[in-house]
Amino acid sequence: AHNVYAQSLVKLQGGEAGASYLQDLVVKYPNNSIYRQYLGDLYKDQEKYPQAQQIYQQLVATSRNSKLAWLGLGQSHYLQKQYDAALKAFLSAATQDPTDPEPIFMAGLVYLDSSRFSLANQQFQRVLKINEYYPRTHYFVGRSALMLGDLQLALSEAELEKKLNPSIADAYILAAEVYNEAKQFSKCAEEYQQAIKLRGQNAMIYVKLARCYRKAGQTEIAASMLNIAASKESGFAEIYKEQGAVYETIGDESAAKEAYRTYLSLSPNALDKNEIQSKIDS
């Protein structure tokens, strides 16, 4: 009830009011760890990760068997991209309750985001052994498999995720990326078309769809997809990079050069800046 009241204060009077209420409870009842847990969760929900981290560290220092505190600490580190500290906390949480897939899943995300793809895949596989229906795990098994170059596993996991969560676009996007790597560009376009039905406001999906159509030799359709992308987010730099590639494919060098220039003006610090500039110069 105290936690619900604190959350109500957040909605009515702002985050500081809710935090102040819980801080008073922590002072009044220092031996009741649940109020510190609520305070840490409140800070984390408000994206005040250093403050949340401090509260969770107090909790694990006094009660090292608190799975929720270890999870909160891991999430606070993870959201600050402090991957080694996050991993330590998630694995500590996992030891508290080996039947709970959440900390193992989170450890998998840490490995994935820090480009340790083999270890990520192993963690997600462990999650499936505990709960084969745990949300989005098949997707992340497939994502890590794709990064490892195992296209067959990545595609099969994408198909499993589609069956479990047919209304989520991520599985279709993953399948499209697999087909792109396999150079099956028509199938790549088909998967992105399905993703658009579920996430139609995302300009990046239209750009990726256009790329598949271009590689499949259907440059007119590719151009039309880029027009749709521009109508949704005209300042999105990737539109003009792909537009330049389309114009280059059909031999319109002047238009290609103009599109590439627009891309660099919108994304002056792009990782491929030198490559695109070389295209313009040539």
Side-chain angles (χ1 to χ4, degrees):
H2 282 298
N3 189 41
V4 172
Y5 184 70
Q7 296 295 334
S8 301
L9 285 175
V10 171
K11 298 293 185 183
L12 292 169
Q13 300 176 22
E16 290 300 323
S20 178
Y21 181 79
L22 290 174
Q23 286 166 354
D24 288 343
L25 291 172
V26 169
V27 173
K28 279 184 181 179
Y29 308 105
N31 295 324
N32 192 338
S33 62
I34 192 64
Y35 297 124
R36 289 184 191 274
Q37 182 73 42
Y38 289 150
L39 181 59
D41 293 345
L42 185 145
Y43 281 138
K44 177 164 62 69
D45 292 343
Q46 293 177 356
E47 300 182 5
K48 296 179 178 179
Y49 304 127
Q51 293 95 318
Q53 179 182 321
Q54 184 178 16
I55 297 296
Y56 292 131
Q57 284 173 334
Q58 293 171 4
L59 282 167
V60 299
T62 56
S63 177
R64 299 191 66 81
N65 295 325
S66 176
K67 179 181 72 172
L68 290 177
W70 280 116
L71 266 173
L73 180 59
Q75 289 165 347
S76 298
H77 283 303
Y78 174 67
L79 292 165
Q80 297 176 84
K81 301 186 185 302
Q82 299 168 355
Y83 294 132
D84 289 341
L87 185 62
K88 179 181 177 181
F90 288 136
L91 295 180
S92 295
T95 63
Q96 307 300 320
D97 183 4
T99 65
D100 184 358
E102 183 179 4
I104 302 171
F105 179 84
M106 293 303 301
L109 290 182
V110 172
Y111 283 131
L112 187 64
D113 286 3
S114 55
S115 301
R116 290 174 276 184
F117 304 121
S118 180
L119 291 170
N121 193 270
Q122 291 173 27
Q123 293 298 314
F124 294 129
Q125 295 280 9
R126 286 180 62 197
V127 172
L128 291 177
K129 289 179 181 178
I130 299 171
N131 180 358
E132 62 179 313
Y133 300 109
Y134 193 79
R136 303 188 77 226
T137 305
H138 285 291
Y139 166 77
F140 282 110
V141 172
R143 170 64 58 190
S144 54
L146 175 60
M147 301 309 293
L148 290 167
D150 190 340
L151 302 187
Q152 184 175 353
L153 177 60
L155 186 59
S156 66
E157 292 296 320
E159 294 301 322
L160 287 170
E161 189 67 34
K162 287 182 198 176
K163 291 177 182 178
L164 290 173
N165 295 295
S167 61
I168 297 178
D170 288 343
Y172 299 95
I173 294 172
L174 174 60
E177 292 177 4
V178 173
Y179 283 126
N180 181 60
E181 287 295 316
K183 302 188 185 306
Q184 298 182 42
F185 301 120
S186 294
K187 288 186 176 180
C188 170
E190 290 173 8
E191 295 293 341
Y192 278 130
Q193 287 283 14
Q194 292 299 316
I196 282 172
K197 294 178 182 178
L198 300 169
R199 200 182 292 171
Q201 298 305 310
N202 189 310
M204 187 64 195
I205 297 180
Y206 284 96
V207 173
K208 290 181 176 180
L209 174 59
R211 188 170 298 143
C212 289
Y213 276 127
R214 170 176 61 82
K215 291 179 178 179
Q218 301 182 60
T219 52
E220 290 185 9
I221 301 178
S224 68
M225 293 299 105
L226 292 172
N227 289 336
I228 296 173
S231 71
K232 296 183 179 300
E233 191 178 345
S234 60
F236 184 47
E238 290 292 325
I239 295 171
Y240 304 97
K241 176 182 173 181
E242 181 56 31
Q243 198 173 64
V246 170
Y247 285 132
E248 196 174 353
T249 299
I250 63 177
D252 190 340
E253 294 183 354
S254 177
K257 183 166 62 174
E258 187 61 32
Y260 286 139
R261 282 176 173 165
T262 303
Y263 167 67
L264 290 182
S265 69
L266 291 171
S267 184
N269 297 317
L271 294 177
D272 57 356
K273 176 181 178 179
N274 291 337
E275 178 187 344
I276 298 300
Q277 188 60 54
S278 294
K279 285 178 177 289
I280 294 170
D281 295 341
S282 65

